[in-house]
Amino acid sequence: MESLSIGTLFGMLAGLLFLSACFSASETAMMAINRYRLRHAAEQGQRGAIITLALLNQTDKLLGVILLGNNLVNIAAATLATIISIRLFGDSDVALSLATLLLTFLILVFSEVTPKVIGASFPERVAYPAGFVLMPMLKLAYPVVWFVNLFVQGILRVLHIKPPEAGQGVSLGLEELRTIVLESSGRLPHEHHRILTNLLDLEDLTVDDVMTPRSQIEMIDIEDDPERLRQQIATSHHTRLVVVEGSADHLLGVLHIRRVLHTLAGEELDIATLKENLEVPYFVPAGTPLFTQLRNFQRSRRRLALVVDEYGELQGLVTLEDLLEEMVGEFTTQAPADMGYLRQDEDGSWLVEGSVPLRQLNRKLGLDFPVDGPKTLNGLLLEQFEDIPEAGVSLKLGEIPVEIVQTQDRAVRIARIYVPASQEVLSGETST
């Protein structure tokens, strides 16, 4: 060292500080990198990602080799700073103390904080190239790292700490997945983000939220006049109809219209043939989560289910299409009878049937009505009034003015909603 000039020693010190910065940046980048993106890149064949993933699968050894190199470099830098101080100022305690403080500042700023911020901000850009250097280092220093890890494992055992096995990863719950999807809204196409969000919401929704209520189910009564039955079947916009005998309390089954189309050509509808082609009703309990019901539809190979309460009373009807619409949005193939509950007037207000589900109303008009209580607009209005309102009465639901236009049979038949001009209306999904 005595033969080296002061300039050379300063150059060596700068090099050691740079190496320390590289180790610090690599450590932070390796720990901060997105494991799912890394795994995807490795599956695509990116060499840097493959090496980085292999290193992260042995985290204890990776940290061992990084810290081994970093500590060796920092100790060498401290020794070199001491030599430079002695060469410049002699064996002075004050000079050595000042050199120590100065070196601490340089390491803290240039070799720790700054590179770690860079590594955390650009983990892929730092981790991938670092992997090409750290992998050979790990192989060369493996005996030292293995020896150090013996003591580490012993200390962890004494503290009753068991690290997760390599490649096991961290399990994510439903809420964590929802957070990831919400935070990635700016990086995903809008439609993809909406579908993913709706898919995660299936676990929080039940069949009660999307079912067609009992009063709106299109049924045919086997006791009706055959000619009326023929006309009802021939003009139905549904492929399946619920068949009852006398009343909705006496369900016979579900009729697939395709099976009886040939009987409609005859002079008289054959009731016996109609009964022979009935499918056994598929009942599901109210409160069944949509995700569970989706799996049930898949297992039972059914497309339609009748929702019953705890007493076995029919509450509504839910179809596979209802569940799919919750994920991807409404389909355009709707019956005309289902398309008349929304109409926009010239003044910008919307005439809405009271039976419209709040979830569909929120989605179509960009509103935020609560959906954890009543399921329909009529139910929400009755809850607010605590009585049957009269036509012409108005109120505010949150910040949205609503006017009762027509009541019928102890329910709100038609209401007018004044959507603020700033409110986003999904006109592409509304029907007039």
Side-chain angles (χ1 to χ4, degrees):
M1 286 288 181
E2 294 181 359
S3 60
L4 298 177
S5 65
I6 292 295
T8 302
L9 292 177
F10 272 113
M12 293 173 61
L13 180 60
L16 291 174
L17 292 177
F18 176 75
L19 288 177
S20 178
C22 291
F23 282 117
S24 297
S26 301
E27 178 187 3
T28 302
M30 289 287 182
M31 297 300 108
I33 197 168
N34 187 304
R35 301 297 179 93
Y36 302 102
R37 188 181 302 167
L38 173 64
R39 191 171 291 110
H40 174 73
E43 291 174 355
Q44 297 298 314
Q46 292 189 29
R47 182 65 178 165
I50 295 173
I51 294 176
T52 302
L53 184 61
L55 288 170
L56 287 173
N57 285 335
Q58 42 186 347
T59 308
D60 55 340
K61 297 179 178 61
L62 171 63
L63 290 176
V65 71
I66 291 177
L67 293 177
L68 176 64
N70 203 10
N71 282 301
L72 285 176
V73 169
N74 287 340
I75 292 172
T79 304
L80 194 57
T82 302
I83 294 174
I84 294 174
S85 175
I86 293 175
R87 290 276 297 270
L88 290 176
F89 307 106
D91 192 3
S92 169
D93 293 339
V94 175
L96 290 176
S97 299
L98 291 176
T100 301
L101 291 175
L102 180 60
L103 181 64
T104 301
F105 174 79
L106 293 176
I107 291 178
L108 188 63
V109 174
F110 296 104
S111 299
E112 292 292 335
V113 177
T114 302
K116 286 184 185 244
V117 170
I118 295 174
S121 303
F122 309 99
E124 286 88 1
R125 297 184 186 180
V126 175
Y128 291 175
F132 289 99
V133 179
L134 293 175
M135 182 62 80
M137 282 185 60
L138 178 58
K139 293 180 179 179
L140 290 174
Y142 188 84
V144 179
V145 174
W146 174 83
F147 182 73
V148 171
N149 281 338
L150 281 181
F151 292 91
V152 174
Q153 295 298 329
I155 294 173
L156 292 178
R157 236 179 256 113
V158 171
L159 297 176
H160 300 287
I161 298 175
K162 185 178 181 181
E165 296 180 3
Q168 191 175 22
V170 180
S171 60
L172 294 177
L174 190 63
E175 292 305 318
E176 287 84 356
L177 286 174
R178 182 179 283 108
T179 301
I180 292 174
V181 172
L182 292 176
E183 289 182 350
S184 62
S185 59
R187 296 184 290 274
L188 283 175
H190 174 71
E191 285 299 311
H192 294 178
H193 179 262
R194 182 175 61 83
I195 291 175
L196 288 174
T197 303
N198 292 342
L199 181 61
L200 292 173
D201 287 340
L202 288 186
E203 198 66 36
D204 297 330
L205 301 176
T206 66
V207 292
D208 308 59
D209 294 307
V210 300
M211 70 179 183
T212 301
R214 172 174 171 164
S215 60
Q216 297 180 25
I217 298 177
E218 184 178 356
M219 304 179 183
I220 58 174
D221 188 348
I222 205 75
E223 294 182 351
D224 279 349
D225 179 72
E227 185 58 32
R228 182 182 176 185
L229 285 177
R230 181 206 299 274
Q231 184 178 5
Q232 190 174 357
I233 295 173
T235 59
S236 175
H237 293 278
H238 301 285
T239 57
R240 291 173 175 82
L241 292 175
V242 177
V243 181
V244 301
E245 187 174 15
S247 70
D249 295 324
H250 189 191
L251 289 167
L252 294 182
V254 178
L255 175 67
H256 198 305
I257 293 180
R258 188 184 302 169
R259 296 182 178 180
V260 295
L261 284 177
H262 63 283
T263 64
L264 300 180
E267 295 183 358
E268 185 175 349
L269 184 64
D270 188 355
I271 302 300
T273 302
L274 201 66
K275 290 183 176 180
E276 290 174 0
N277 286 279
L278 293 182
E279 299 177 358
V280 178
Y282 172 43
F283 297 102
V284 298
T288 303
L290 290 191
F291 195 76
T292 301
Q293 186 55 45
L294 187 63
R295 293 199 303 265
N296 291 341
F297 274 140
Q298 186 178 28
R299 283 196 293 262
S300 62
R301 297 185 180 276
R302 299 280 194 134
R303 301 176 63 91
L304 181 148
L306 300 173
V307 183
V308 294
D309 62 13
E310 57 184 315
Y311 303 106
E313 297 291 332
L314 178 65
Q315 298 297 304
L317 177 149
V318 63
T319 66
L320 179 60
E321 286 77 11
D322 294 329
L323 273 62
L324 294 178
E325 285 182 354
E326 283 299 315
M327 290 187 288
V328 301
E330 293 190 2
F331 299 109
T332 57
T333 55
Q334 294 179 326
D338 298 332
M339 299 176 65
Y341 61 77
L342 274 179
R343 188 177 76 246
Q344 188 174 24
D345 279 355
E346 294 180 358
D347 61 356
S349 63
W350 290 82
L351 286 176
V352 184
E353 288 187 4
S355 59
V356 61
L358 291 173
R359 290 184 54 79
Q360 293 185 17
L361 192 59
N362 287 341
R363 186 162 55 237
K364 287 176 177 295
L365 302 186
L367 303 177
D368 192 26
F369 290 151
V371 294
D372 53 351
K375 305 302 180 185
T376 64
L377 178 62
N378 172 62
L380 182 61
L381 291 172
L382 295 184
E383 182 184 65
Q384 295 294 318
F385 280 108
E386 299 181 349
D387 195 1
I388 308 299
E390 296 181 357
V393 178
S394 301
L395 81 162
K396 272 193 172 184
L397 295 177
E399 298 298 324
I400 308 299
V402 179
E403 176 189 356
I404 309 302
V405 177
Q406 180 184 353
T407 60
Q408 181 181 354
D409 298 330
R410 302 178 301 279
V412 176
R413 173 69 176 169
I414 301 291
R416 185 185 301 275
I417 299 179
Y418 295 89
V419 180
S422 59
Q423 198 79 35
E424 179 183 3
V425 177
L426 305 181
S427 57
E429 292 183 2
T430 57
S431 53
T432 56

